[in-house]
């Protein structure tokens, strides 16, 4: 029978990369999803496909969620495609603008305003993930500006509805090693460590002692191997041969147990 692959159309290739991007997005493999969507958009074309437009809409949201930045298209993307996908994605352009401004209230309002369009595109869930991503991004930036801050202040600055929600987000990010912070439950204060380890703590003292023991043990083992190698008959024999030929520049620091005169006297042997 006829080969079914001969019936493939250019749009089928676009769909392949679009669906691959969707699968990776669902699995939260965002960097791979971004690349698949970029391929779908940048393929050579003399007309704009709805698949390319759909890919661009998802690319914008996934890029914000994953990198905190808007997407970039390859330089070889057809000009007409580049212009068209942007002009047909106005709600997404507005969402990106509010995200990049760090305006959480404005972003939430924009998502709500365009909820119907986002739902029709099956992208409302991604838009809500972008809202959460902005909260995390704003919280991460607070760690570079403050040493201590109350949960209520954090809630106000990142746009959460309550200190309890801010605390939940903090705990999730600490668990994921996204930030380094401690929470004082009694005072409701958060201390941002910003990656600076408390070397005075008991846990860190124990860890340092353990690391020092490991290093000392390794150094002793290296020294032992050095002596064993230097006193090995084969090694001594080769050094003597090299010295007789005058082709070796010998070290002056010999391990205990080796007489440097044996190796340095070319008349030996």
């Amino acid at each position: 029978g006829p080969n079914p692959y001969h019936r493939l159309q250019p749009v089928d290739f676009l769909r392949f990369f679009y669906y691959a991007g969707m699968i990776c997005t669902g699995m939260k493999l965002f960097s791979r999803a971004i690349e698949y969507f970029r391929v779908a958009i940048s393929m050579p074309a003399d007309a704009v496909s709805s698949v390319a437009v759909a890919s661009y809409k998802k690319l914008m949201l996934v890029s914000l969620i994953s990198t905190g930045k808007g997407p970039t298209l390859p330089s070889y993307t057809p000009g007409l495609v580049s212009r068209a996908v942007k002009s047909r994605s106005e709600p997404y352009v507005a969402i990106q603008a509010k995200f990049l401004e760090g305006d959480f209230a404005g972003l939430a309002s924009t998502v709500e305003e365009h909820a119907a369009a986002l739902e029709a595109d099956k992208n409302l869930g991604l838009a809500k993930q972008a809202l959460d991503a902005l909260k995390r991004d704003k919280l991460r930036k607070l760690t570079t500006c403050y040493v201590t801050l109350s949960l209520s202040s954090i809630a106000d600055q990142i746009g959460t509805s309550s200190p309890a929600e801010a605390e939940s987000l903090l705990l999730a990010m600490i668990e994921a090693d996204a930030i380094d912070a401690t929470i004082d439950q009694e005072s409701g204060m958060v201390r941002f460590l910003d990656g600076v380890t408390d070397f005075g703590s008991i846990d860190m003292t124990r860890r340092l002692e353990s690391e020092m023991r490991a290093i000392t043990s390794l150094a002793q083992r290296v020294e032992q191997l050095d002596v064993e190698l230097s006193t090995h008959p084969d090694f001594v024999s080769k050094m003597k041969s090299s010295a007789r030929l005058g082709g070796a520049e010998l070290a002056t620091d010999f391990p205990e147990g080796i007489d440097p005169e044996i190796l340095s006297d070319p008349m030996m042997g």
Side-chain angles (χ1 to χ4, degrees):
N3 190 332
Y5 296 108
H6 291 169
R7 296 195 293 271
L8 287 175
Q9 300 296 317
V11 71
D12 294 319
F13 293 96
L14 297 184
R15 288 173 179 153
F16 171 84
F17 289 105
Y18 173 68
Y19 292 138
M22 288 181 65
I23 292 170
C24 289
T25 298
M27 298 175 66
K28 296 193 182 302
L29 301 174
F30 292 131
S31 60
R32 292 178 65 180
I34 287 172
E35 289 308 310
Y36 282 130
F37 290 137
R38 279 164 49 95
V39 171
I41 298 164
S42 61
M43 281 192 172
D46 54 13
V48 180
S49 168
S50 60
V51 178
V53 176
S55 296
Y56 186 70
K57 291 175 178 178
K58 283 185 165 53
L59 173 64
M60 293 185 77
L61 295 175
V62 172
S63 294
L64 293 176
I65 294 167
S66 175
T67 69
K69 301 176 182 178
T72 57
L73 296 179
S75 58
Y76 48 81
T77 304
L80 68 94
V81 174
S82 179
R83 291 188 296 271
V85 295
K86 293 174 184 177
S87 66
R88 299 181 188 183
S89 306
E90 291 182 2
Y92 299 84
V93 173
I95 288 172
Q96 176 179 291
K98 293 298 181 183
F99 187 104
L100 297 181
E101 290 171 8
D103 182 358
F104 181 82
L107 177 60
S109 176
T110 302
V111 170
E112 184 177 355
E113 177 186 351
H114 297 291
L118 292 166
E119 181 64 38
D121 293 335
K122 308 298 183 185
N123 286 333
L124 185 57
L126 281 176
K128 291 180 178 179
Q129 288 186 52
L131 279 167
D132 291 337
L134 181 56
K135 290 179 187 177
R136 293 194 301 270
D137 188 57
K138 289 170 74 69
L139 180 52
R140 194 176 294 108
K141 288 177 180 177
L142 289 180
T143 68
T144 65
C145 300
Y146 299 94
V147 176
T148 59
L149 202 60
S150 68
L151 284 170
S152 58
S153 295
I154 292 174
D156 291 339
Q157 294 198 45
I158 69 175
T160 55
S161 59
S162 67
E165 186 183 346
E167 182 179 3
S168 296
L169 180 59
L170 265 168
L171 291 172
M173 293 183 68
I174 292 170
E175 180 69 22
D177 291 328
I179 60 173
D180 196 1
T182 58
I183 304 173
D184 187 327
Q185 298 289 346
E186 292 185 6
S187 65
M189 297 297 293
V190 178
R191 181 187 178 200
F192 296 117
L193 304 178
D194 195 26
V196 178
T197 303
D198 183 3
F199 288 99
S201 69
I202 295 175
D203 288 342
M204 182 49 61
T205 299
R206 290 173 178 169
R207 179 178 172 185
L208 288 173
E209 289 175 350
S210 175
E211 295 290 345
M212 287 300 296
R213 285 195 297 271
I215 291 171
T216 301
S217 176
L218 179 61
Q220 291 173 345
R221 179 58 180 155
V222 169
E223 183 178 358
Q224 179 186 353
L225 289 173
D226 181 54
V227 172
E228 291 175 0
L229 173 63
S230 301
T231 57
H232 194 281
D234 290 345
F235 177 81
V236 175
S237 176
K238 288 182 180 295
M239 292 297 288
K240 288 170 63 177
S241 299
S242 179
R244 281 199 300 270
L245 295 174
E249 187 174 10
L250 301 178
T252 57
D253 226 3
F254 287 87
E256 185 178 352
I258 293 185
D259 184 353
E261 292 297 324
I262 294 177
L263 301 182
S264 62
D265 184 357
M267 301 302 295
M268 289 294 297

